[in-house]
Each structure stands twice: as C-alpha cells, then as structure tokens.
Amino acid sequence: MCLILFAYNMHPKYPLILGSNRDEFYHRPTAQAHYWEDHPHILAGRDLSKMGTWMGITTGGRLAAVTNYRDPNEEVQAKGSRGDLVADFLKGTSTPEKYIQHAERIRNEYPGYNLLVGDPDDLYYYSNVGNVVMKLKPGIYGISNHLINTDWPKVKRGREGLEKIIQGEDEDTLTEQMLGLLQIADPSVDELLPHTGVPLEWERLLSPIFVRSEKFDYGTRASSVVLMNREEVFFTEMVHQNGEVMEQRFNIKPLNWTS
C-alpha cells in the first residue's frame, strides 16, 4: 500500500476516518477483502504470496495498516514480510502501545516501513526508519512511502482533500467522497517531485494519489475506506481491476478468547 489518509478525532460522528490505496504490481496474487477463514474476526485483503495484508480491521475494532519506505538501495531479500506486522496485530490481543513497542524492538528484522495500529481507545504510528514511537493526537494525517506527513505532492493533496471532506455537511456520502479522493490520478509537476532514488519516470508515475501504468504492470489495485466510532465500523473496498465494491458494516464487539 502506498498511501494512507486519515482524520483522527476530527469528526463528530466518526473519530477515525481512513482511506487507503494499495499500489502493487498487477500480477501479484491477491485476495480481495474478506473475513479470513483461519481468523474469522479479521476483515482484510490478503497478499497470497506472503499471506500478510496491507490494511485490515477486526470485529473487535482493532485496525492496522502498513506502507513501504521507499529506498531502492535497501537489501530486502533476507528480511521479513511487512504485511506480517499488520496481520500479527490483527490476530493478537496486545494493546496498540505494547505492539508498537514490540515492533520497535524487532525493527531490524524488516525492510523500511510505516506502521499504523489502533483500537477504539488509541492510535499509534511507528517507522523503523524514523524509529520514533508516536501516540497520535487529533489531526489529519497522510502516510506514503516516506515518514508520516512528509510533504510529498500526493500526501499534501490527500490531506487537503480529506480536510474539505470532513468539514462538509454531507455525512451520508463520506465513503463516496473518500473513494473519489483516492481516485485522483493527476500527476505532480516535476518541480515538486521527491527524489527517492528511483528513475524520474517512476517518480512521475508514483506521484498521483491514484497510480496506474500498463507499461510497468503497476498501479493502485484497491482503495479502502474505514469509518469507525466506538460502536460500529463501516468498511468499503473498491477493487480497480474488476470494479467490484465490497461493503461491510458491523458493531464492534470484544472477542471471546479461549486460549
């Protein structure tokens, strides 16, 4: 996933409004968002290559998401899958704070990443590159493939768009507005592009909120929106390769763990 936009404790009805785009090679095998057969309380897509996920939520109100930190010179072959960080939090019972502290202790076992984990009480962010644990305060945030709120064009535009959405009065179309924001495909001008070590053609390709390239077999595979308060969750995923939209609403309930 290459973009996460979220408003935390900024809306009167939904303390967490989150939209995310997963950018990936089109040929990489993926399962669309569903309740996992082996962990039925998890609602998420699944990377069928490594069996982790980029973003998901549980029926108990636990949420996690991850993005890669872009560093083309980093050696990643001998390290773990970043999608496991999301899946392990969703499977577990530790608080977001304790899980982030655990991630900090094992930070060298994974390639560069940004990790967001939370529940109805707290929301935390950690990057093993920046190596600073952050308990998030109310605000509007964006995470792409650098540190949180880095002023890349797609992050800046996304945060500005999200701010306009939550300031509007049309509460009934929040999901539709978020999906519209996540599909803005206008590229940045070259003068504003970041310099992350990839060729200029790739910097241009990756600069919009919504990415697509048949030439490189790469782009935004799915867009997801989460509206969450202490009582309920609305989860929507749009898969762009087939146009399917999945919508789920559920009341948050604690899990009855037997072991």
Side-chain angles (χ1 to χ4, degrees):
M1 183 193 301
C2 284
L3 183 63
I4 307 169
L5 303 169
F6 59 102
Y8 183 53
N9 285 330
M10 297 293 288
H11 189 271
K13 184 173 181 179
Y14 298 108
L16 181 61
I17 298 174
L18 181 146
S20 63
N21 275 348
R22 185 212 182 196
D23 301 341
E24 184 54 85
F25 288 99
Y26 295 138
H27 64 266
R28 184 162 181 145
T30 299
Q32 297 171 208
H34 64 289
Y35 289 101
W36 290 8
E37 293 79 4
D38 50 343
H39 297 279
H41 65 290
I42 295 176
L43 175 61
R46 207 161 197 180
D47 170 25
L48 298 180
S49 295
K50 298 297 179 79
M51 299 307 289
T53 186
W54 53 96
M55 194 277 284
I57 194 162
T58 73
T59 53
R62 295 166 69 82
L63 176 142
V66 71
T67 71
N68 299 352
Y69 185 97
R70 192 186 305 161
D71 180 358
N73 297 316
E74 182 179 25
E75 177 56 53
V76 303
Q77 297 301 323
K79 295 187 177 183
S81 170
R82 288 165 282 214
D84 288 343
L85 293 164
V86 175
D88 289 346
F89 177 75
L90 298 177
K91 295 173 186 177
T93 59
S94 62
T95 66
E97 180 181 19
K98 289 183 178 179
Y99 189 80
I100 283 290
Q101 291 170 348
H102 168 70
E104 182 183 22
R105 288 193 295 271
I106 61 171
R107 61 186 180 274
N108 294 324
E109 297 180 13
Y110 295 88
Y113 67 78
N114 296 284
L115 180 64
L116 185 71
V117 299
D119 61 18
D121 296 313
D122 294 307
L123 190 63
Y124 279 81
Y125 162 82
Y126 176 71
S127 165
N128 65 340
V129 178
N131 196 28
V132 176
V133 172
M134 294 174 57
K135 181 178 181 180
L136 296 180
K137 300 177 180 179
I140 297 173
Y141 297 89
I143 305 170
S144 184
N145 302 112
H146 202 267
L147 302 178
I148 191 169
N149 283 352
T150 295
D151 201 20
W152 285 7
K154 67 196 304 179
V155 174
K156 185 174 185 290
R157 185 170 192 175
R159 292 177 66 199
E160 291 172 350
L162 177 52
E163 184 174 14
K164 290 180 181 178
I165 289 172
I166 65 173
Q167 289 177 346
E169 299 181 358
D170 194 355
E171 189 176 278
D172 294 334
T173 63
L174 281 173
T175 294
E176 289 79 5
Q177 292 179 74
M178 288 295 294
L179 287 173
L181 175 63
L182 292 169
Q183 293 179 79
I184 294 176
D186 300 335
S188 169
V189 297
D190 285 358
E191 290 76 13
L192 298 178
L193 290 173
H195 301 283
T196 63
V198 300
L200 177 60
E201 188 174 11
W202 270 95
E203 296 285 14
R204 290 169 175 158
L205 167 67
L206 299 171
S207 68
I209 291 175
F210 185 91
V211 176
R212 59 183 165 207
S213 173
E214 299 301 328
K215 175 181 177 181
F216 293 106
D217 187 41
Y218 186 87
T220 302
R221 298 277 300 270
S223 300
S224 304
V225 176
V226 175
L227 309 179
M228 178 178 172
N229 55 36
R230 297 192 69 85
E231 290 78 36
E232 60 184 351
V233 171
F234 293 86
F235 182 105
T236 303
E237 181 190 73
M238 175 181 288
V239 179
H240 297 293
Q241 286 177 289
N242 58 22
E244 291 188 11
V245 177
M246 183 281 301
E247 300 180 35
Q248 290 287 322
R249 175 197 172 277
F250 58 85
N251 293 325
I252 295 174
K253 53 187 178 182
L255 291 171
N256 295 318
W257 293 92
T258 58
S259 61

